[in-house]
Amino acid sequence: MQQLLNTLLGGLTLGMVYAAFALALVMIWRSTRIVNFAQAPMAMVTTFIALSVIDAGHSYWLGFAAALLSGLVLGAVVERVLVRPVEGGPEINAVILTLGLFIVLHALASVIFGNRFRSFPAPFGVRGIEVGDTTIALTTSGVFTILAVLAVMGLLVLLFRFTDIGLRMRAAAHEPEVARLLGVRVGRMLTLGWALASLVGSLAGLLIASGSLVHPSYMDSVVVYGFVAAVLGGLDSPLGAVLGGLLLGLSLSLVSGYVGSQLVALAALGILVVVLLLRPGGLFAPAAARRV
Amino acid sequence: MLQIRDLTVDYGPVRALAGVSFSAGGGAITAVLGANGAGKTTLLRTVSGLHRAESGTITFDEHRLDRVAAERMPALGLAHVPEGRGVIAELTVEENLRLGGLARGRVSRGELDRVLELFPALADRRSATAHVLSGGERQMLVIGRALMSRPTMLLLDEPSLGLAPRVVAQIFALLRRLVTDEGLGVVLVEQNARSALSVADRGVVLDLGRVVADEPAAVLADDDQLRHAYLGF
């Protein structure tokens, strides 16, 4: 019983991170129909920026803020400088572009930050919280992870649902031409969308790194899990991405806890295949009511 | 006042408009008629900046529209309702309407209520997602959304397409009222020439990218030869 609880708690923490990462992928997919394979190295670069700030003697939180801010800027720059010119062209161009960016960022990070493992501090304790006289597998850092992802998701919901800029962003994503006719500066909205998605990706990168080791390729497995989570949710649905992330985190944690940790990657792909066979649109795809 | 002079536009390799000139004033409905492929939609898309002209000028009041980006049109008082109804199906009715008003800055409750009053069918479904609306309701929504930006000139592309005659009559009657009461100018692109001429003040007939007639609507409707040749009724 206690093992099950601990496995589920671990899965919940991990699932929140996958959810954040999947959400970043979905935000970009919804607005520009591009699967951003460079999401992982972008988050990796911002995590290294945080590490540089922290290693220079500043506080963890200053590094945290620097990473989120540089994520925002990096997302905007990537959209404006690299993605914009290939927009409207064949879709494969944009895919190849993000794959290329993946490689470039990797190489740059190895050159600038060094191709070795470095330890990344945790904001809070990494020891299990004590409940009564047993210690459960939920650390204070884990609680912070869950709260941070929930907070960011809440802010995004508020932004998209209740603000004018959020309404413009949604319009630009769904019907760019109609949005232009209504006075929306679609290009700016796409830039902003990429910036916010990249910020969410950076957050996921930071949370994975906390209390662990970072390396230029430390995020690479997460892009696979994040992508699986996003596809589970239907790629088009932010809520689906979050639920897909949680589901994946819990499933993988159960696999790791009860079957064997070497099977985790295989299990993720197995889940993906089963879902795509049974519900090709993803588990939480909205009803196909468009294009009437 | 919208003035189009010598407008030549290519659509891909095809010359869609070849030297089109006409003008459309406020307080009047100007119908632009012609068969499929006559260049009607291209004309509206060029006026609203979605498509660029090869040559010619478009002026609206004192503004040279041929140099203005599409997203700045609503602020000048020009609203374009595109063909195929252009509702944003994922947004609610109210969000669609608010989006129209954002072009003019903040949306006031009064503005929203005024437009909902014009379309009572929408008022009942304001928090419904737009994809559940019927064809007629969608057309009302896009017209209402365009009105939210308080335009002085409304460009409508085939509003009657696929709608029941009763709904078309209802929409045209509303347009007439806005034109008469508020001095709105309307450019009404239609393939359904008969019903368009019944509501329009003036008719411009396009054929293969050229203006073949520019007359008061009553004159066009009485010209049997022209009607048979270009308007198909």
Side-chain angles (χ1 to χ4, degrees):
Chain A
M1 181 59 209
Q2 202 188 338
Q3 192 194 350
L4 179 66
L5 179 70
N6 285 341
T7 309
L8 290 179
L9 284 173
L12 181 67
T13 316
L14 205 57
M16 285 310 254
V17 178
Y18 295 158
F21 200 78
L23 187 62
L25 288 172
V26 165
M27 285 170 72
I28 286 178
W29 171 258
R30 264 163 74 99
S31 62
T32 45
R33 298 280 134 184
I34 292 171
V35 176
N36 183 18
F37 289 105
Q39 190 87 70
M42 283 164 74
M44 174 271 294
V45 165
T46 59
T47 307
F48 269 106
I49 289 174
L51 188 58
S52 304
V53 170
I54 296 167
D55 280 356
H58 301 288
S59 76
Y60 176 89
W61 298 109
L62 191 67
F64 193 85
L68 293 187
L69 190 66
S70 54
L72 203 67
V73 173
L74 185 61
V77 169
V78 166
E79 195 280 332
R80 190 69 195 80
V81 178
L82 298 174
V83 174
R84 187 76 58 89
V86 302
E87 246 164 42
E91 281 169 16
I92 192 77
N93 292 8
V95 173
I96 299 297
L97 178 91
T98 64
L99 282 172
L101 187 61
F102 183 105
I103 295 167
V104 168
L105 288 177
H106 247 272
L108 279 178
S110 299
V111 171
I112 298 172
F113 303 111
N115 195 10
R116 62 199 159 87
F117 285 95
R118 291 165 68 180
S119 73
F120 195 94
F124 300 106
V126 287
R127 295 189 43 179
I129 296 169
E130 284 173 27
V131 180
D133 45 5
T134 54
T135 307
I136 58 170
L138 185 65
T139 63
T140 321
S141 283
V143 173
F144 171 69
T145 296
I146 293 169
L147 292 180
V149 174
L150 284 178
V152 165
M153 284 169 185
L155 288 175
L156 286 176
V157 168
L158 290 179
L159 174 76
F160 283 112
R161 285 272 150 227
F162 300 110
T163 68
D164 290 347
I165 195 99
L167 182 57
R168 287 195 180 100
M169 288 178 74
R170 283 192 289 154
H174 291 305
E175 295 279 352
E177 184 164 281
V178 172
R180 283 188 72 194
L181 288 175
L182 296 170
V184 176
R185 305 181 74 156
V186 172
R188 280 193 189 180
M189 295 304 125
L190 297 185
T191 308
L192 185 58
W194 270 73
L196 288 174
S198 169
L199 178 142
V200 176
S202 299
L203 176 71
L206 280 171
L207 294 173
I208 292 174
S210 288
S212 173
L213 297 172
V214 292
H215 178 270
S217 61
Y218 87 98
M219 282 291 285
D220 292 0
S221 62
V222 182
V223 79
V224 177
Y225 299 141
F227 185 69
V228 171
V231 172
L232 282 184
L235 257 186
D236 244 332
S237 153
L239 181 66
V242 173
L243 295 176
L246 287 175
L247 196 67
L248 189 71
L250 290 171
S251 313
L252 295 186
S253 188
L254 287 172
V255 168
S256 165
Y258 287 96
V259 188
S261 59
Q262 66 275 30
L263 288 177
V264 164
L266 198 62
L269 295 174
I271 292 171
L272 180 66
V273 169
V274 170
V275 168
L276 288 183
L277 281 175
L278 298 178
R279 298 262 337 237
L283 290 178
F284 310 100
R290 269 195 67 68
R291 308 282 168 236
V292 207
Chain B
M1 179 77 149
L2 180 70
Q3 282 188 303
I4 294 166
R5 287 227 185 296
D6 256 332
L7 197 66
T8 297
V9 182
D10 291 344
Y11 193 83
V14 183
R15 176 133 297 183
L17 298 174
V20 167
S21 303
F22 73 92
S23 52
I29 298 179
T30 308
V32 176
L33 310 169
N36 222 343
K40 307 183 302 289
T41 294
T42 304
L43 174 71
L44 286 199
R45 290 176 62 84
T46 310
V47 170
S48 63
L50 290 175
H51 202 89
R52 287 293 169 206
E54 309 308 311
S55 63
T57 59
I58 307 164
T59 48
F60 179 58
D61 301 334
E62 311 80 55
H63 307 284
R64 274 287 294 271
L65 291 192
D66 39 309
R67 292 173 189 164
V68 174
E71 41 276 63
R72 289 201 42 227
M73 296 296 173
L76 299 177
L78 196 83
H80 178 178
V81 177
E83 192 180 23
R85 309 216 220 308
V87 296
I88 302 184
E90 291 85 351
L91 305 184
T92 66
V93 168
E94 186 172 331
E95 284 170 339
N96 266 283
L97 291 173
R98 280 187 47 220
L99 190 64
L102 285 183
R104 287 288 184 129
R106 294 206 68 80
V107 182
S108 70
R109 190 122 296 270
E111 196 64 30
L112 197 62
D113 289 343
R114 185 185 73 94
V115 169
L116 285 173
E117 227 165 79
L118 293 174
F119 303 99
L122 297 181
D124 297 339
R125 327 190 62 167
R126 57 196 290 173
S127 41
T129 313
H131 80 248
V132 304
L133 299 184
S134 69
E137 287 166 339
R138 283 171 181 239
Q139 191 59 54
M140 292 177 192
L141 177 56
V142 286
I143 294 176
R145 188 177 64 188
L147 293 175
M148 286 293 292
S149 66
R150 276 171 283 135
T152 51
M153 176 75 65
L154 190 60
L155 310 176
L156 286 174
D157 199 350
E158 301 266 7
S160 77
L161 198 70
L163 297 186
R166 195 175 50 84
V167 179
V168 176
Q170 207 182 333
I171 288 173
F172 282 2
L174 177 85
L175 285 178
R176 188 75 252 175
R177 214 170 83 216
L178 290 168
V179 167
T180 314
D181 297 352
E182 300 180 17
L184 180 72
V186 174
V187 175
L188 176 64
V189 157
E190 267 295 345
Q191 231 179 124
N192 182 350
R194 192 200 297 260
S195 52
L197 284 178
S198 72
V199 68
D201 298 289
R202 208 173 170 81
V204 176
V205 182
L206 290 182
D207 183 53
L208 297 175
R210 289 171 195 283
V211 175
V212 291
D214 183 352
E215 306 278 356
V219 176
L220 280 182
D222 286 339
D223 188 333
D224 289 343
Q225 223 180 342
L226 192 95
R227 262 175 36 201
H228 293 314
Y230 298 111
L231 304 179
F233 75 97

